[in-house]
């Protein structure tokens, strides 16, 4: 079994640490935040992720995974592999900022034993492997790229049952060593160059984002021509060349990856003098999707948003997570506030910062009381269980926009005066 250090304990790092521990490896997780390390050391989950707390609990008992906020302890651990999982935020131009990655590489250059492999899990633009190699500046260390494809909310499941495992490295010997860490996982394992691995990650996210923009544009067309978007998606996804997953229309795509990675890919291409017009169009289409939802709410509010009270169900960027980074719901709420509306929101787990300019209440019913329009912006399944008759009785105007297609249409249509569902 290998000794693995995981640097950075966000979604990717925590999942990697827990996943590698489950595969039987000895793991130390490092994060700069002592608070986060303390929480994890007590086997508590600092993020909302299915099964994470149970997994942390059993790994704590077996002693397979420990956490630290000092590089000294990482050094003492004498790992053979160092997984860099720190954030790569977007800078003003849309490019990925490598400050944290390169800072981690500098630290590792001081402590990594000879022949160790530094594995990049953070999403980094093509060419970053080379920059990390320079930051390490040690010929006895190796660099590999092992992009993650984890979805928040099902990250542990995705780690243990991935569609494929990609490892990019300069030599077959290094890629084989990294792939062997995943020995017990039966998924297809693909060894590539570092550059190809880096590009596979970006192109996967950009392709999925384009696919959603395509579906969201067609949902808008369905509304206009009276077609059913459910039937359209069913028919489209039944073509085996297209496939049925990842085709649910929504208010727009968001989260910590898609917006950042699509912009970063466009930025990398432009550094090489290339335009990527399809990806540009996907970003533009996403803006249009978000605007369409706001326009729908405006129409339901009687043609103006000024002074109207809008109830919002859902703030997270998707269901089953507490993450609001680049959330379409938060984006739409900001647009409503900018146009003079008051917003009362409910989310089962996500919390917006106090200074966001709107109030957050404890349950779905409270977020509908006295409102001019109720908008459903995240697809939490529990919203479908709320009684539409009870809710409609407390609304000021009985107008509802379901931008996630989660509410039972017939029940809501008969309970309220005006019910709109994205995609018609
Ligand atoms: C994504 C990628 O799926 C994952 O492989 C990568 O590692 C990180 O980025 P995640 O950000 O967790 O994962 O979210 P995902 O489930 O992919 O959803 C992204 C956005 O698309 C969300 O806003 C979601 O609501 C939206 N979406 C997704 C849809 O609108 N319809 C769908 O059918 C699927």
């Amino acid at each position: 079994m290998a000794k693995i250090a995981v640097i950075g304990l966000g979604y990717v790092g925590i999942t990697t640490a827990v996943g590698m521990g489950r595969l039987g490896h000895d793991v130390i997780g490092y994060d700069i935040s002592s608070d986060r390390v303390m929480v994890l050391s007590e086997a508590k989950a600092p993020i909302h992720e299915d099964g994470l707390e149970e997994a942390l609990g059993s790994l704590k008992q077996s002693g397979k995974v420990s956490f630290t906020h000092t590089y000294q302890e990482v050094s003492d651990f004498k790992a053979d592999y160092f997984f860099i999982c720190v954030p790569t935020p977007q800078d003003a131009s849309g490019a990925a900022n490598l400050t944290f990655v390169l800072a981690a590489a500098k630290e590792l250059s001081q402590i990594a034993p000879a022949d160790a492999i530094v594995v990049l899990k953070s999403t980094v633009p093509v060419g970053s492997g080379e920059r990390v190699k320079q930051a390490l500046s040690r010929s006895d260390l190796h660099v590999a790229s092992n992009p993650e494809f984890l979805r928040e909310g099902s990250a542990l499941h995705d780690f243990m049952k991935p569609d494929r495992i990609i490892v990019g490295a300069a030599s077959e010997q290094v890629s084989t060593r990294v792939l062997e860490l995943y020995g017990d996982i039966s998924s297809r394992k693909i060894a590539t160059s570092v550059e190809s691995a880096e590009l596979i990650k970006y192109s996967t996210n950009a392709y999925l984002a384009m696919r959603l923009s395509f579906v969201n544009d067609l949902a808008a067309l369905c509304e206009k021509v009276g077609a059913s978007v459910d039937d359209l998606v069913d028919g489209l996804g039944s073509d085996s060349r297209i496939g049925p997953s990842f085709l649910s229309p929504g208010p727009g795509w968001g989260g910590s990856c898609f917006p950042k990675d699509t912009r970063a890919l466009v930025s990398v291409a432009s550094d090489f003098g290339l335009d990527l017009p399809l990806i540009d169009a996907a970003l533009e289409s996403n803006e249009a999707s978000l605007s369409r939802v706001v326009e729908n709410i405006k129409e339901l509010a009687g043609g103006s948003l000024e002074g109207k009270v809008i109830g919002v169900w859902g703030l997270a960027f998707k269901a089953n997570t507490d993450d609001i980074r680049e959330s379409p719901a938060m984006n739409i709420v900001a647009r409503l506030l900018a146009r003079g509306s008051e917003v009362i929101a409910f989310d089962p787990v996500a919390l917006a910062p106090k200074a966001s300019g709107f109030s957050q209440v404890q349950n779905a019913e409270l977020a509908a009381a006295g409102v001019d329009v109720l908008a459903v912006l995240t697809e939490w399944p529990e919203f479908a269980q709320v009684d539409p008759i009870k809710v409609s009785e407390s609304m000021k105007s009985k107008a509802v926009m379901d931008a996630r297609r989660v509410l039972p249409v017939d029940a809501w249509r008969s309970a309220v005066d005006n019910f709109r569902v994205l995609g018609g």
Side-chain angles (χ1 to χ4, degrees):
M1 287 298 132
K3 296 191 82 173
I4 297 174
V6 174
I7 310 300
L9 298 169
Y11 273 96
V12 175
I14 292 175
T15 310
T16 303
V18 169
M20 288 298 181
R22 278 181 157 182
L23 290 173
H25 302 298
D26 292 312
V27 181
I28 190 165
Y30 163 88
D31 198 279
I32 197 166
S33 156
S34 52
D35 286 351
R36 176 155 285 224
V37 166
M38 201 165 70
V39 168
L40 284 163
S41 300
E42 287 166 2
K44 295 202 186 101
I47 50 173
H48 181 84
E49 193 62 49
D50 247 8
L52 179 59
E53 222 148 80
E54 294 82 336
L56 282 167
S58 60
L59 287 170
K60 190 182 172 188
Q61 273 188 348
S62 67
K64 278 284 171 200
V65 179
S66 61
F67 299 99
T68 179
H69 69 280
T70 72
Y71 271 108
Q72 183 56 52
E73 280 189 49
V74 179
S75 171
D76 295 344
F77 185 77
K78 305 227 175 307
D80 318 300
Y81 299 83
F82 293 84
F83 279 79
I84 297 186
C85 302
V86 297
T88 46
Q90 172 182 308
D91 68 19
S93 69
N97 179 332
L98 289 189
T99 310
F100 300 126
V101 171
L102 297 177
K106 280 250 178 299
E107 294 284 354
L108 298 183
S109 71
Q110 307 296 313
I111 61 173
D115 213 29
I117 305 182
V118 174
V119 187
L120 273 165
K121 267 249 180 242
S122 301
T123 304
V124 289
V126 188
S128 302
E130 196 47 47
R131 289 182 64 187
V132 165
K133 211 168 147 196
Q134 281 165 16
L136 288 168
S137 94
R138 274 182 49 189
S139 56
D140 60 341
L141 296 178
H142 313 282
V143 174
S145 165
N146 174 209
E148 54 79 22
F149 301 97
L150 313 169
R151 291 162 301 169
E152 289 182 21
S154 54
L156 286 180
H157 169 272
D158 291 350
F159 184 94
M160 299 308 283
K161 289 194 183 319
D163 287 340
R164 75 299 205 195
I165 297 168
I166 310 277
V167 174
S171 75
E172 204 183 314
Q173 194 209 359
V174 172
S175 50
T176 304
R177 267 178 69 191
V178 179
L179 285 170
E180 277 171 0
L181 295 175
Y182 296 93
D184 288 348
I185 296 178
S186 59
S187 314
R188 187 166 168 224
K189 301 189 174 85
I190 303 174
T192 69
S193 67
V194 171
E195 290 75 13
S196 302
E198 290 168 343
L199 207 50
I200 288 168
K201 165 71 190 194
Y202 277 105
S203 40
T204 302
N205 279 353
Y207 174 76
L208 291 169
M210 279 191 328
R211 184 173 164 106
L212 291 178
S213 281
F214 176 77
V215 166
N216 288 339
D217 284 350
L218 286 172
L221 184 60
C222 286
E223 279 170 30
K224 298 278 181 219
V225 302
S228 152
V229 76
D230 285 336
D231 290 347
L232 176 117
V233 163
D234 190 20
L236 188 67
S238 305
D239 186 319
S240 62
R241 293 167 300 178
I242 296 173
S245 58
F246 232 79
L247 282 179
S248 301
W253 39 266
S256 63
C257 291
F258 283 5
K260 177 169 78 76
D261 293 355
T262 41
R263 289 185 206 120
L265 187 56
V266 168
S267 164
V268 165
S270 109
D271 289 346
F272 287 90
L274 261 187
D275 287 335
L276 298 178
L278 276 178
I279 303 171
D280 275 332
L283 280 156
E284 221 175 280
S285 146
N286 204 40
E287 276 300 303
S289 292
L290 295 162
S291 302
R292 273 197 299 271
V293 176
V294 175
E295 283 310 301
N296 266 297
I297 297 171
K298 185 181 105 182
E299 283 168 24
L300 285 170
S304 165
L305 287 166
E306 185 67 42
K308 299 290 163 53
V309 183
I310 314 296
V312 165
W313 285 2
L315 294 172
F317 82 96
K318 63 176 186 178
N320 301 317
T321 175
D322 59 353
D323 198 343
I324 55 167
R325 284 175 293 174
E326 299 245 19
S327 165
M330 291 294 289
N331 184 310
I332 289 165
V333 166
R335 291 172 195 233
L336 296 171
L337 295 172
R339 290 168 75 171
S341 295
E342 182 190 329
V343 170
I344 304 172
F346 167 67
D347 189 285
V349 296
L351 269 182
K354 282 232 155 32
S356 302
F358 63 92
S359 53
Q360 219 178 313
V361 291
Q362 291 306 311
N363 61 51
E365 285 84 357
L366 281 175
V371 302
D372 293 286
V373 181
L374 172 65
V376 181
L377 301 181
T378 308
E379 74 282 24
W380 287 102
E382 48 261 62
F383 294 154
Q385 311 307 320
V386 183
D387 178 1
I389 297 174
K390 207 169 136 211
V391 166
S392 76
E393 279 163 4
S394 72
M395 294 173 76
K396 186 166 154 213
S397 310
K398 300 181 194 325
V400 177
M401 168 75 206
D402 181 0
R404 286 287 192 170
R405 304 178 61 79
V406 282
L407 302 181
V409 176
D410 293 341
W412 279 83
R413 223 161 236 154
S414 57
V416 298
D417 301 332
N418 210 343
F419 182 74
R420 284 194 192 183
V421 55
L422 183 132

